[in-house]
Amino acid sequence: MGQTQPIQSPRIDAVPGTSRRSKASVPETTEGFKAIIENIRQQQRGRKKVISVNRDDVKSVMFPYLKTSNSEFSPLDITFECDGVSEKAVDLGGPSRELFTLLFQEFMQSKLGLFEGKGGFVLPVNNKKAIDAHVFHAVGKAVVLSLCTDPHGPGFPYFPSFIVSYLIGREYIHELSSLFLVNEFLKQFITDITNATTQDDLDDVMGNDDERFTDNCGWPANERVTISNRWSFVQNLLQWDLIDKRRTALDDIKKGLNTFNFLDDTKSLPEFERIFLLRNKQETTANFIQKKLIPEVQKLHTENQEEEKAQKQTVKCLQILEDEEAAYLFQFITGLDDVPPYNFSIQVAFNRKNKKATLPEAITCIQRLLIPLGNKSRLDFYKSFDIAIKMGRLGFSDDS
């Protein structure tokens, strides 16, 4: 697998204070999206498909339907059953919306082995049996059909941003993060790699890779993991675990999403992210960032006067943050637009590797802020902190 190139500080290829994806408010429904949905409806000229289903077991009825070739050309008419008795209702969108909401919830049941995750987000699992049975293709197709009767339909808003980026063919490397790892052994392995302070420490960590992550992730067998290239190695691990080993399932979902050419027609529209992206209502306010970071900065062990000054100046910078600046800083450190919907921590350390550095740096894959030690005055420190926040976050760097 190829390695990403080092990104120099500061990044200027993004809107200041944002990631590459604008965080502007998303319109409820654009005219373009409405036209696409209307075009799909016009293609559904087959005989209406009447489906009677029990709320406790939607998938047993819907899976065969979804996997039937050309079934999408027949509009659905949904009736729910209760104790074998059909509920009287005209399907003007409500029953269909409920049906797909229940179906997507069943998709995510752990016993099916289709998705895994925590805190609300899910990742597709490399389930060979499900792949061979074209289940993930059916998932994508179901999402498209769920919007046919209601453009505001339930969608599948459970994916983290890098999955959405992969689906539409957008660069996603900067969005990969250990925050999304489900495998606790891999998460600990990465933590041990990041905490190694000497090459001997790192060699010990690599030698104790009992799960054989190094062999599986595609890292060259003859290339030693060193202090200087370990972030490339961590990036390699994240790419493998979060994308590569799920690629077949993801590509099947993409194929299903292109039912009626839906994916190709909508991937550039704001509605696509609404359909799939897990959003958290918690905002990255100044108070939120201060509670996360100030205790971490204050408990740092200082070795000299320069570090003591940098520690105090960092606390001061955090104390005077405004809400908008706090959101920029969160993106700078994590590479994420939204706060994950579960508890997480942000790491802080002095940049002892490059003591002459004057700008804060961020290792986004592990959510670590590196405090600069090279500023000559307090004013220089404050200015450099402000510059780094406004310029956006750093990517992976081999000399971090």
Side-chain angles (χ1 to χ4, degrees):
M1 180 189 306
Q3 301 300 310
T4 58
Q5 296 300 314
I7 299 175
Q8 301 303 315
S9 169
R11 278 281 299 279
I12 57 174
D13 60 347
V15 178
T18 70
S19 68
R20 294 186 182 185
R21 194 170 61 253
S22 172
K23 205 177 180 185
S25 60
V26 177
E28 190 67 18
T29 304
T30 62
E31 292 302 315
F33 187 76
K34 290 179 181 178
I36 290 169
I37 296 301
E38 181 58 33
N39 181 57
I40 290 175
R41 289 172 177 167
Q42 291 178 6
Q43 295 180 63
Q44 291 185 304
R45 296 176 178 176
R47 179 179 298 178
K48 183 174 290 188
K49 177 67 174 179
V50 179
I51 291 181
S52 185
V53 63
N54 190 304
R55 287 184 177 84
D56 295 330
D57 187 16
V58 174
K59 67 180 183 301
S60 64
V61 173
M62 288 302 295
F63 265 150
Y65 163 77
L66 291 169
K67 292 197 291 182
T68 300
S69 179
N70 296 326
S71 61
E72 64 270 20
F73 291 100
S74 297
L76 291 173
D77 187 357
I78 305 302
T79 300
F80 284 102
E81 293 181 351
C82 182
D83 296 326
V85 179
S86 296
E87 299 178 3
K88 293 182 179 180
V90 177
D91 189 0
L92 299 178
S96 292
R97 183 185 181 93
E98 182 180 1
L99 171 85
F100 284 106
T101 298
L102 293 171
L103 179 63
F104 296 150
Q105 290 172 352
E106 288 191 31
F107 280 157
M108 294 188 293
Q109 291 177 354
S110 59
K111 64 182 180 181
L112 293 183
L114 300 179
F115 297 95
E116 61 181 354
K118 63 178 181 179
F121 78 85
V122 296
L123 307 173
V125 174
N126 185 32
N127 182 328
K128 187 177 185 305
K129 183 177 179 181
I131 290 170
D132 291 344
H134 307 293
V135 172
F136 290 105
H137 182 279
V139 172
K141 182 177 178 179
V143 173
V144 177
L145 296 180
S146 74
L147 301 167
C148 290
T149 55
D150 181 6
H152 304 281
F156 196 78
Y158 307 109
F159 285 147
S161 59
F162 67 88
I163 294 289
V164 177
S165 293
Y166 180 86
L167 292 175
I168 64 177
R170 183 173 60 197
E171 185 273 333
Y172 58 82
I173 296 297
H174 73 286
E175 296 172 319
L176 299 179
S177 170
S178 60
L179 287 172
F180 300 114
L181 293 175
V182 179
N183 188 323
E184 294 297 331
F185 292 106
L186 178 56
K187 187 178 293 186
Q188 185 60 52
F189 184 54
I190 290 176
T191 298
D192 293 341
I193 290 170
T194 62
N195 289 339
T197 56
T198 67
Q199 187 61 50
D200 286 342
D201 290 342
L202 186 54
D203 289 341
D204 287 342
V205 173
M206 300 305 298
N208 290 323
D209 180 14
D210 297 331
E211 301 293 321
R212 302 186 65 182
F213 294 126
T214 308
D215 295 335
N216 293 326
C217 76
W219 185 258
N222 60 350
E223 185 173 348
R224 185 186 187 190
V225 178
T226 65
I227 292 292
S228 62
N229 71 11
R230 58 177 164 175
W231 304 128
S232 292
F233 177 64
V234 169
Q235 182 185 16
N236 212 71
L237 289 170
L238 294 175
Q239 168 78 28
W240 163 70
D241 185 82
L242 296 176
I243 291 292
D244 290 347
K245 75 179 189 180
R246 310 174 193 276
R247 194 179 295 273
T248 302
L250 284 168
D251 288 346
D252 279 356
I253 292 174
K254 288 176 69 173
K255 291 175 184 176
L257 286 173
N258 229 15
T259 299
F260 293 119
N261 216 43
F262 178 82
L263 174 60
D264 290 342
D265 289 343
T266 63
K267 62 185 180 182
S268 62
L269 298 179
E271 282 86 358
F272 192 88
E273 292 195 6
R274 174 188 65 80
I275 294 166
F276 291 103
L277 192 61
L278 174 66
R279 290 290 192 185
N280 184 16
K281 294 181 180 179
Q282 184 175 8
E283 296 182 358
T284 47
T285 62
N287 183 57
F288 173 84
I289 291 297
Q290 289 160 356
K291 287 183 177 179
K292 281 286 184 186
L293 286 179
I294 289 178
E296 297 299 317
V297 176
Q298 290 176 330
K299 70 183 183 183
L300 286 174
H301 173 71
T302 58
E303 296 181 351
N304 50 51
Q305 270 191 327
E306 286 74 19
E307 291 184 359
E308 289 179 7
K309 290 180 181 178
Q311 183 183 46
K312 292 177 181 178
Q313 290 163 355
T314 301
V315 170
K316 182 63 177 177
C317 284
L318 294 172
Q319 288 174 335
I320 61 176
L321 275 180
E322 296 182 357
D323 287 344
E324 186 177 14
E325 294 170 327
Y328 294 168
L329 181 59
F330 179 79
Q331 289 182 327
F332 177 83
I333 299 171
T334 67
L336 302 176
D337 287 332
D338 292 314
V339 179
Y342 51 86
N343 191 36
F344 70 100
S345 61
I346 297 176
Q347 305 174 31
V348 181
F350 294 115
N351 192 351
R352 291 170 177 156
K353 178 72 175 178
N354 183 9
K355 294 183 179 180
K356 293 182 179 181
T358 58
L359 290 175
E361 296 181 15
I363 307 171
T364 59
C365 63
I366 57 170
Q367 309 86 53
R368 177 176 290 181
L369 173 67
L370 297 178
I371 298 173
L373 299 172
N375 290 290
K376 301 300 183 183
S377 68
R378 181 171 60 184
L379 182 59
D380 288 341
F381 185 92
Y382 294 159
K383 286 182 178 179
S384 70
F385 212 89
D386 185 60
I387 290 171
I389 292 173
K390 289 182 178 178
M391 284 296 183
R393 58 163 186 81
L394 290 180
F396 294 92
S397 176
D398 284 347
D399 58 1
S400 294

